Amino acid sequence: MNLKQSEYNFVYDDLGKDQIVIYNSFTGALAVVKEQQYKQFTDYLATGKEIEDKAFLENALKCGYLVPKDIDEHFLIKTRMMQGRYNKNILSLTIAPTMACNFRCVYCFEQGYYGNKLMDENTQENLIKFIEKHINGVKLLNITWFGGEPLLGMPVIENLSEKMIALCEEKQVKYSANIITNGYLLTKNIAQKLKEYRVTFAQVTVDGSKEIHDARRPLANGQGTYDVIMKNMLEINGILQIRLRINVDYENIYEADKVVDFLKDNNMLNTVYPYLGLVISYNNNYQEDRCFSDKMYSKYNLEFLKKHNIPLQTTYPKPRGNYCLSDFNNGWVIDDVGNMYKCWNDIGVPEKVVGNINLGNHYLQRTDLLREYSSFDPITYDECKDCKMLPVCLGGCPHNRMDGRRICEQRRFYMQEYLVECTKSLIAQKNIKTVNNR
């Protein structure tokens, strides 16, 4: 068999003597090999000398480090991308039961588009009809509750959840849900209700200590929100998994540690997973010069993960079939009046509406945005086609690309450091399991 090295191999020797790290971004495979094995690998590529270690050769093929000579990996990426974009096994809906919000965050991309009512019964019924029409052949219905602040629309969440769960049980379709909330209304009672409605995790945002957080994420009347959110986090600990987003920029980056300190002091790190979120000036609603570049964000994020011993597996660079909901054919964002969008960042913006579920069979009203979001081919772009991160990035965030913004995968800038630290973490985890099993 004539073989060649994959275009998507990353090789590092940072672990020390006789340990070579090999990662492949097309397969997602990560391995630590001995120097003698890696020498066989490089000798084969340089001279064609047969690899004597057959087990190593088999694994190198399995992991995609070596591929048949006539394999076109660009073609395989494009094939997987098309399969991902047009996968009909999943129906993914992001639903805003209301566009009202009790916060006025300084960087919110929805500024100017807040609503003041709940999704009415007619729209709810038409949403269920829309799901009924599109659920045949689907294996998973995935729901993200969004807003506005979705918990202001709890009656809508309850009504729609009951009907969607019943429909999935009737059709033998798996149902999963999550919620993106500011956390102010996420009391113990609400958390228990959400759990009953199969919400598996909630994303909550805290931007630092009380003073900083309250200045950046106040109520609509200007009052602070930190104390209530943290009280809620303590009371719901263990009921829902919490993904605690810390939105960072130059103003508050050193506040992130204080959020983690709070979690540690209250023994919450087993159920609450903190991570840094990058503030971006969407819709020109925040000063661009306050925001990090992708490279700077990647640097701070790696330091944050290492400092607090947060498993780097959470940021492991996994190959994708599609980037997100926006380039996924069977995914939609739906607001409180039934308007349909292709991206969370478009919600509430009239110019970005692509249809409305209240229009029945004629719900789709325009295709130009669909085409822009889903037809991009990164392999045709010079800046993407030769990048070894292509299987992971797929050309970057579609929304950013359409806005003419930065598009590169953030880990690209510190890829070596991320992979080496992730490898160390996995090795340590394996050693712990080995000791415990003795």
Side-chain angles (χ1 to χ4, degrees):
M1 187 188 311
N2 290 326
L3 303 172
K4 64 180 179 180
Q5 179 173 203
S6 169
E7 295 180 43
Y8 301 104
N9 286 345
F10 293 75
V11 181
Y12 307 117
D13 61 358
D14 299 53
L15 290 185
K17 185 178 180 180
D18 207 26
Q19 295 185 97
I20 307 294
V21 177
I22 309 179
Y23 165 78
N24 183 274
S25 63
F26 179 78
T27 63
L30 177 70
V32 178
V33 304
K34 296 182 181 298
E35 290 179 355
Q36 184 269 339
Q37 292 173 317
Y38 186 64
K39 186 175 187 307
Q40 291 185 49
F41 181 87
T42 55
D43 285 349
Y44 172 79
L45 295 174
T47 67
K49 181 181 178 181
E50 183 178 350
I51 295 177
E52 296 177 359
D53 188 333
K54 299 307 177 185
F56 170 68
L57 174 60
E58 182 179 348
N59 285 327
L61 286 166
K62 181 179 179 181
C63 293
Y65 306 142
L66 290 171
V67 297
K69 187 176 181 180
D70 291 329
I71 286 291
D72 180 350
E73 291 180 282
H74 279 173
F75 172 77
L76 295 182
I77 291 172
K78 188 168 184 176
T79 299
R80 182 165 65 189
M81 184 175 67
M82 298 307 289
Q83 290 171 336
R85 288 178 175 177
Y86 297 98
N87 179 4
K88 293 186 177 181
N89 290 329
I90 301 172
L91 176 58
S92 186
L93 301 178
T94 295
I95 303 171
T98 180
M99 284 297 292
C101 188
N102 50 347
F103 278 31
R104 290 298 181 267
C105 303
V106 296
Y107 44 68
C108 182
F109 61 84
E110 293 181 10
Q111 290 177 33
Y113 300 109
Y114 300 122
N116 57 10
K117 59 183 179 180
L118 304 186
M119 182 182 288
D120 62 33
E121 292 184 4
N122 182 63
T123 301
Q124 291 181 56
E125 288 302 317
N126 285 329
L127 175 52
I128 296 301
K129 289 178 182 177
F130 177 86
I131 296 172
E132 289 174 341
K133 181 178 178 181
H134 291 84
I135 204 169
N136 290 332
V138 167
K139 295 181 180 178
L140 169 66
L141 174 60
N142 182 63
I143 302 297
T144 296
W145 297 109
F146 197 60
E149 168 49 43
L151 291 181
L152 290 171
M154 193 62 191
V156 178
I157 292 176
E158 293 180 89
N159 181 52
L160 288 176
S161 295
E162 289 175 2
K163 292 180 178 179
M164 290 187 294
I165 291 170
L167 179 61
C168 285
E169 289 177 348
E170 176 190 340
K171 300 289 186 179
Q172 296 184 315
V173 172
K174 183 179 178 181
Y175 178 85
S176 70
N178 60 83
I179 188 167
I180 297 175
T181 170
N182 57 42
Y184 194 82
L185 301 175
L186 190 57
T187 62
K188 184 176 182 180
N189 179 53
I190 292 295
Q192 289 171 334
K193 283 187 177 181
L194 290 174
K195 186 175 183 179
E196 291 173 11
Y197 291 122
R198 304 188 190 178
V199 172
T200 56
F201 73 87
Q203 176 187 297
V204 177
T205 301
V206 175
D207 276 5
S209 62
K210 174 179 170 61
E211 180 182 2
I212 292 294
H213 174 90
D214 285 348
R216 291 163 63 92
R217 299 180 64 83
L219 288 172
N221 62 12
Q223 293 182 359
T225 60
Y226 179 89
D227 289 337
V228 172
I229 295 172
M230 288 313 197
K231 178 176 179 289
N232 288 343
M233 292 300 97
L234 289 169
E235 290 182 354
I236 70 171
N237 188 26
I239 298 175
L240 289 178
Q241 180 193 119
I242 301 297
R243 298 181 184 179
L244 192 62
R245 180 182 174 104
I246 309 167
N247 283 331
V248 292
D249 54 31
Y250 283 108
E251 182 181 72
N252 74 322
I253 181 61
Y254 297 110
E255 290 284 317
D257 294 339
K258 296 178 182 179
V259 179
V260 180
D261 290 342
F262 176 91
L263 300 178
K264 290 178 179 177
D265 291 344
N266 291 279
N267 299 314
M268 296 172 69
L269 282 177
N270 288 330
T271 55
V272 179
Y273 302 89
Y275 70 98
L276 300 186
L278 175 63
V279 175
I280 298 176
S281 180
Y282 289 123
N283 301 329
N284 297 315
N285 283 336
Y286 196 59
Q287 296 93 323
E288 191 78 45
D289 59 2
R290 289 189 180 182
C291 303
F292 289 132
S293 66
D294 285 332
K295 184 174 182 179
M296 187 62 71
Y297 166 79
S298 184
K299 173 180 179 291
Y300 279 122
N301 190 48
L302 179 61
E303 292 175 354
F304 175 79
L305 294 171
K306 289 171 62 178
K307 181 176 182 178
H308 296 290
N309 296 314
I310 297 171
L312 270 79
Q313 295 92 304
T314 58
T315 63
Y316 188 81
K318 298 177 183 178
R320 306 174 191 246
N322 66 294
Y323 191 85
C324 63
L325 187 75
S326 67
D327 65 346
F328 179 51
N329 188 60
N330 221 21
W332 303 95
V333 179
I334 302 170
D335 71 13
D336 56 337
V337 295
N339 286 329
M340 304 173 72
Y341 312 82
K342 284 304 295 179
C343 177
W344 295 0
N345 295 324
D346 292 340
I347 195 167
V349 182
E351 296 79 16
K352 297 298 180 70
V353 175
V354 298
N356 191 292
I357 57 167
N358 291 310
L359 298 177
N361 292 334
H362 305 290
Y363 65 88
L364 187 61
Q365 293 293 294
R366 57 187 291 198
T367 58
D368 56 331
L369 283 177
L370 301 187
R371 181 173 60 249
E372 287 190 66
Y373 273 125
S374 64
S375 64
F376 174 71
D377 183 358
I379 295 169
T380 64
Y381 279 67
D382 290 339
E383 61 186 320
C384 297
K385 68 179 182 180
D386 296 324
C387 177
K388 293 202 294 184
M389 287 292 287
L390 179 60
V392 172
C393 178
L394 295 182
C397 169
H399 187 276
N400 284 353
R401 185 179 61 248
M402 288 170 58
D403 275 1
R405 295 177 178 273
R406 55 201 179 205
I407 59 173
C408 285
E409 163 61 41
Q410 292 148 355
R411 283 162 296 191
R412 169 189 176 189
F413 301 103
Y414 289 89
M415 187 65 169
Q416 181 169 343
E417 290 86 348
Y418 270 97
L419 283 175
V420 170
E421 290 300 324
C422 188
T423 304
K424 290 178 181 177
S425 176
L426 289 169
I427 290 173
Q429 191 176 63
K430 180 180 179 181
N431 289 339
I432 290 172
K433 287 182 179 179
T434 300
V435 170
N436 289 340
N437 290 332
R438 286 177 180 172

